[in-house]
Amino acid sequence: MLNLEIITPEQTVVKEEVDMVEAKGAYGEFGILPGHTQFLTTLEIGEIRYMKGGVTTHLSSSSGFLEVVEDKVVMLLDTAEFAADIDVERAKRALERAESGA
C-alpha cells in the first residue's frame, strides 16, 4: 500500500492508504505503485487518480509538486477538488472569464 497525502494551503484533501496513484507531470502522465523508487517532480494542471480496493477516485488539481519516499506519496498543490464536488456552472463561468482575459 501507498500512504497518500494531497495537501493544499487550505486543508489536507486526502490522507489514506491506496493501491495506486496516477498524475500528470511535466513530461506526461505517470503512475506510482508500492515499491516505487524515490521521485520528485512538478505536477501540471489536470486530473489525479488513485485506486483503493478496486475503486478509482478522481480529483481535479492545479499545478504543484509530488514526492515519493518509501511508499509515501505527498502532493503539495495550490488547489485540489474531488470530481464529484465540482460545481459545473461555477467552472463554466471561470472558463469564460479565463478565455475573455478578465
Side-chain angles (χ1 to χ4, degrees):
M1 298 293 283
L2 295 166
N3 291 308
L4 174 63
E5 288 187 48
I6 300 176
I7 303 166
T8 69
E10 289 80 31
Q11 65 181 335
T12 298
V13 179
V14 174
K15 186 173 185 175
E16 63 181 296
E17 287 191 340
V18 301
D19 300 314
M20 177 188 69
V21 178
E22 295 177 316
K24 181 180 176 187
Y27 297 106
E29 289 200 14
F30 59 90
I32 300 166
L33 294 168
H36 198 286
T37 188
Q38 290 187 11
F39 185 58
L40 177 65
T41 189
T42 57
L43 292 174
E44 300 290 317
I45 295 170
E47 180 184 22
I48 296 169
R49 294 175 300 281
Y50 65 89
M51 183 178 285
K52 180 177 181 177
V55 176
T56 302
T57 301
H58 302 264
L59 291 97
S60 175
S61 74
S62 64
S63 58
F65 299 93
L66 175 141
E67 180 181 37
V68 179
V69 177
E70 297 179 8
D71 288 337
K72 183 172 185 176
V73 179
V74 178
M75 296 184 190
L76 302 175
L77 304 166
D78 291 326
T79 62
E81 188 172 11
F82 287 99
D85 296 339
I86 294 174
D87 179 336
V88 176
E89 291 306 314
R90 177 184 51 84
K92 285 180 183 177
R93 288 191 304 272
L95 176 62
E96 289 170 2
R97 282 192 310 274
E99 290 177 340
S100 70

